[in-house]
Amino acid sequence: LCYLNKGKFDSASFHFLRVINDDEFNYKNSLLKSKSLLNLGIVYLNQDNLAKALAVFQKSQVICRINKDQSGIILALINIGEVYTTLGKYKQAENYLLNALEEAKGFGQSRHLEAIYTRLVAVNYDRKDYKQAFGYQNSYIALKDSIYNEVEAKSLENLFNFVCILGTYFLIANLFP
Protein backbone atom coordinates (compact mmCIF):
# COMPACT_ATOMS: atom_id res chain seq x y z
CA LEU A 1 0.00 0.00 0.00
CA CYS A 2 2.92 2.34 0.64
CA TYR A 3 3.96 2.09 -3.02
CA LEU A 4 0.38 2.77 -4.11
CA ASN A 5 0.06 5.82 -1.85
CA LYS A 6 3.38 7.18 -3.12
CA GLY A 7 2.32 6.73 -6.76
CA LYS A 8 4.89 3.99 -7.40
CA PHE A 9 2.43 1.94 -9.39
CA ASP A 10 4.86 -0.57 -10.91
CA SER A 11 6.20 -1.56 -7.49
CA ALA A 12 2.70 -1.68 -6.04
CA SER A 13 1.39 -3.91 -8.82
CA PHE A 14 4.40 -6.23 -8.44
CA HIS A 15 3.64 -6.82 -4.76
CA PHE A 16 -0.12 -7.13 -5.21
CA LEU A 17 0.43 -9.67 -7.99
CA ARG A 18 2.73 -11.69 -5.70
CA VAL A 19 -0.10 -12.05 -3.18
CA ILE A 20 -2.71 -12.74 -5.86
CA ASN A 21 -0.64 -15.41 -7.61
CA ASP A 22 0.75 -17.08 -4.47
CA ASP A 23 -1.01 -20.43 -4.13
CA GLU A 24 1.30 -21.65 -1.37
CA PHE A 25 -1.00 -20.28 1.32
CA ASN A 26 -4.26 -21.09 -0.52
CA TYR A 27 -5.21 -17.47 -1.19
CA LYS A 28 -7.63 -18.60 -3.93
CA ASN A 29 -10.73 -17.07 -2.35
CA SER A 30 -9.27 -15.24 0.61
CA LEU A 31 -10.02 -11.74 1.85
CA LEU A 32 -6.34 -10.93 1.34
CA LYS A 33 -6.62 -11.83 -2.33
CA SER A 34 -9.80 -9.79 -2.82
CA LYS A 35 -8.23 -6.73 -1.15
CA SER A 36 -5.08 -7.16 -3.23
CA LEU A 37 -7.23 -7.33 -6.36
CA LEU A 38 -9.05 -4.13 -5.33
CA ASN A 39 -5.72 -2.36 -4.82
CA LEU A 40 -4.30 -3.74 -8.07
CA GLY A 41 -7.39 -2.43 -9.85
CA ILE A 42 -6.70 1.01 -8.40
CA VAL A 43 -3.15 0.78 -9.74
CA TYR A 44 -4.45 -0.12 -13.20
CA LEU A 45 -7.05 2.65 -13.01
CA ASN A 46 -4.32 5.18 -12.20
CA GLN A 47 -2.27 3.86 -15.12
CA ASP A 48 -5.31 4.20 -17.44
CA ASN A 49 -5.23 0.45 -18.07
CA LEU A 50 -9.02 0.27 -17.88
CA ALA A 51 -9.48 -3.23 -19.29
CA LYS A 52 -7.21 -4.74 -16.63
CA ALA A 53 -8.76 -2.56 -13.92
CA LEU A 54 -12.25 -3.72 -14.87
CA ALA A 55 -11.19 -7.39 -14.92
CA VAL A 56 -9.57 -7.33 -11.48
CA PHE A 57 -12.41 -5.30 -9.90
CA GLN A 58 -14.89 -7.85 -11.22
CA LYS A 59 -12.78 -10.74 -9.94
CA SER A 60 -12.48 -9.04 -6.55
CA GLN A 61 -16.25 -8.59 -6.39
CA VAL A 62 -16.76 -12.34 -6.95
CA ILE A 63 -14.32 -13.25 -4.17
CA CYS A 64 -15.86 -10.65 -1.84
CA ARG A 65 -19.29 -12.20 -2.44
CA ILE A 66 -17.90 -15.67 -1.64
CA ASN A 67 -16.50 -14.29 1.63
CA LYS A 68 -19.61 -12.18 2.38
CA ASP A 69 -17.34 -9.12 2.57
CA GLN A 70 -19.95 -6.37 2.18
CA SER A 71 -17.47 -3.52 2.33
CA GLY A 72 -15.35 -5.19 -0.36
CA ILE A 73 -18.39 -5.78 -2.57
CA ILE A 74 -19.36 -2.11 -2.27
CA LEU A 75 -15.82 -0.93 -3.05
CA ALA A 76 -15.61 -3.24 -6.06
CA LEU A 77 -18.94 -1.96 -7.40
CA ILE A 78 -17.89 1.67 -6.87
CA ASN A 79 -14.62 1.07 -8.70
CA ILE A 80 -16.32 -0.77 -11.57
CA GLY A 81 -18.61 2.24 -11.85
CA GLU A 82 -15.53 4.47 -11.92
CA VAL A 83 -14.03 2.46 -14.81
CA TYR A 84 -17.25 2.74 -16.81
CA THR A 85 -17.40 6.47 -16.07
CA THR A 86 -13.87 6.89 -17.38
CA LEU A 87 -14.85 4.92 -20.50
CA GLY A 88 -17.84 7.24 -21.00
CA LYS A 89 -20.30 4.37 -20.51
CA TYR A 90 -22.47 6.37 -18.14
CA LYS A 91 -25.51 4.09 -18.02
CA GLN A 92 -23.35 1.10 -17.02
CA ALA A 93 -21.50 3.27 -14.52
CA GLU A 94 -24.77 4.42 -12.98
CA ASN A 95 -26.05 0.83 -12.78
CA TYR A 96 -22.98 -0.31 -10.84
CA LEU A 97 -23.12 2.73 -8.58
CA LEU A 98 -26.81 2.14 -7.89
CA ASN A 99 -25.99 -1.49 -7.02
CA ALA A 100 -23.29 -0.19 -4.66
CA LEU A 101 -25.84 2.21 -3.16
CA GLU A 102 -28.31 -0.62 -2.61
CA GLU A 103 -25.64 -2.82 -1.03
CA ALA A 104 -24.45 0.03 1.20
CA LYS A 105 -27.95 0.89 2.41
CA GLY A 106 -28.83 -2.77 2.92
CA PHE A 107 -25.73 -3.38 4.96
CA GLY A 108 -25.76 -0.06 6.79
CA GLN A 109 -22.44 1.05 5.30
CA SER A 110 -22.99 4.79 5.53
CA ARG A 111 -19.26 5.48 5.19
CA HIS A 112 -19.45 4.51 1.50
CA LEU A 113 -22.61 6.50 0.75
CA GLU A 114 -20.80 9.83 0.35
CA ALA A 115 -18.48 8.39 -2.31
CA ILE A 116 -21.38 6.74 -4.13
CA TYR A 117 -23.52 9.87 -4.21
CA THR A 118 -20.55 11.99 -5.31
CA ARG A 119 -19.88 9.63 -8.21
CA LEU A 120 -23.57 9.48 -9.14
CA VAL A 121 -23.62 13.27 -9.31
CA ALA A 122 -20.54 13.25 -11.56
CA VAL A 123 -21.90 10.53 -13.87
CA ASN A 124 -25.18 12.32 -14.40
CA TYR A 125 -23.50 15.69 -14.79
CA ASP A 126 -21.16 14.24 -17.44
CA ARG A 127 -24.08 12.87 -19.42
CA LYS A 128 -25.88 16.20 -18.98
CA ASP A 129 -28.77 14.79 -16.94
CA TYR A 130 -28.70 17.76 -14.58
CA LYS A 131 -32.04 16.98 -12.97
CA GLN A 132 -30.83 13.54 -11.87
CA ALA A 133 -27.45 14.98 -10.82
CA PHE A 134 -29.28 17.54 -8.69
CA GLY A 135 -31.37 14.77 -7.10
CA TYR A 136 -28.24 12.83 -6.13
CA GLN A 137 -26.67 16.05 -4.86
CA ASN A 138 -29.69 16.59 -2.61
CA SER A 139 -29.37 13.02 -1.32
CA TYR A 140 -25.70 13.68 -0.60
CA ILE A 141 -26.55 16.88 1.30
CA ALA A 142 -29.25 15.09 3.30
CA LEU A 143 -26.74 12.37 4.17
CA LYS A 144 -24.14 14.93 5.30
CA ASP A 145 -26.80 16.68 7.40
CA SER A 146 -27.85 13.41 9.04
CA ILE A 147 -24.22 12.50 9.80
CA TYR A 148 -23.67 15.99 11.25
CA ASN A 149 -26.82 15.65 13.35
CA GLU A 150 -25.71 12.24 14.67
CA VAL A 151 -22.29 13.62 15.62
CA GLU A 152 -23.85 16.70 17.21
CA ALA A 153 -26.32 14.58 19.22
CA LYS A 154 -23.49 12.30 20.41
CA SER A 155 -21.41 15.34 21.42
CA LEU A 156 -24.31 16.75 23.43
CA GLU A 157 -24.89 13.36 25.07
CA ASN A 158 -21.21 13.16 26.02
CA LEU A 159 -21.30 16.70 27.41
CA PHE A 160 -24.42 15.88 29.45
CA ASN A 161 -22.76 12.74 30.83
CA PHE A 162 -19.66 14.72 31.74
CA VAL A 163 -21.72 17.38 33.54
CA CYS A 164 -23.59 14.64 35.45
CA ILE A 165 -20.33 13.01 36.53
CA LEU A 166 -18.88 16.37 37.49
CA GLY A 167 -22.03 17.24 39.45
CA THR A 168 -21.91 13.90 41.27
CA TYR A 169 -18.25 14.48 42.12
CA PHE A 170 -19.00 17.92 43.63
CA LEU A 171 -22.00 16.55 45.51
CA ILE A 172 -19.89 13.80 47.07
CA ALA A 173 -17.05 16.24 47.77
CA ASN A 174 -19.45 18.54 49.63
CA LEU A 175 -21.06 15.67 51.59
CA PHE A 176 -17.72 14.31 52.76
CA PRO A 177 -15.35 17.26 53.17
Side-chain angles (χ1 to χ4, degrees), residues 59-74:
K59 189 182 288 188
S60 177
Q61 179 195 8
V62 169
I63 295 172
C64 288
R65 287 196 186 282
I66 290 169
N67 291 308
K68 298 178 181 19
D69 176 11
Q70 289 300 124
S71 185
I73 293 167
I74 295 163

Side-chain angles (χ1 to χ4, degrees), residues 17-106:
L17 283 167
R18 281 185 59 198
V19 172
I20 292 164
N21 296 324
D22 190 352
D23 289 330
E24 180 182 348
F25 297 105
N26 193 23
Y27 290 144
K28 184 178 178 186
N29 291 320
S30 73
L31 287 172
L32 179 60
K33 183 171 183 175
S34 67
K35 299 301 183 199
S36 294
L37 284 165
L38 278 171
N39 288 318
L40 182 61
I42 292 168
V43 168
Y44 290 148
L45 193 58
N46 280 295
Q47 293 175 326
D48 289 326
N49 193 337
L50 302 178
K52 281 187 175 181
L54 185 59
V56 295
F57 287 140
Q58 289 171 333
K59 189 182 288 188
S60 177
Q61 179 195 8
V62 169
I63 295 172
C64 288
R65 287 196 186 282
I66 290 169
N67 291 308
K68 298 178 181 19
D69 176 11
Q70 289 300 124
S71 185
I73 293 167
I74 295 163
L75 289 172
L77 290 169
I78 291 170
N79 284 306
I80 292 169
E82 189 70 23
V83 171
Y84 281 121
T85 300
T86 304
L87 290 169
K89 296 182 177 183
Y90 300 119
K91 191 63 183 162
Q92 289 171 292
E94 184 177 38
N95 287 338
Y96 276 96
L97 292 169
L98 289 173
N99 286 338
L101 182 64
E102 186 178 312
E103 292 277 351
K105 285 182 175 180

Side-chain angles (χ1 to χ4, degrees), residues 116-156:
I116 297 167
Y117 282 126
T118 301
R119 284 177 173 84
L120 282 167
V121 169
V123 164
N124 284 283
Y125 182 82
D126 287 350
R127 68 178 189 191
K128 299 182 182 358
D129 187 347
Y130 302 117
K131 183 177 180 181
Q132 191 66 44
F134 185 70
Y136 289 126
Q137 181 67 29
N138 284 337
S139 296
Y140 172 81
I141 291 168
L143 172 69
K144 290 292 279 186
D145 286 347
S146 71
I147 291 171
Y148 174 78
N149 290 340
E150 286 176 27
V151 169
E152 196 64 23
K154 187 66 177 169
S155 295
L156 289 172

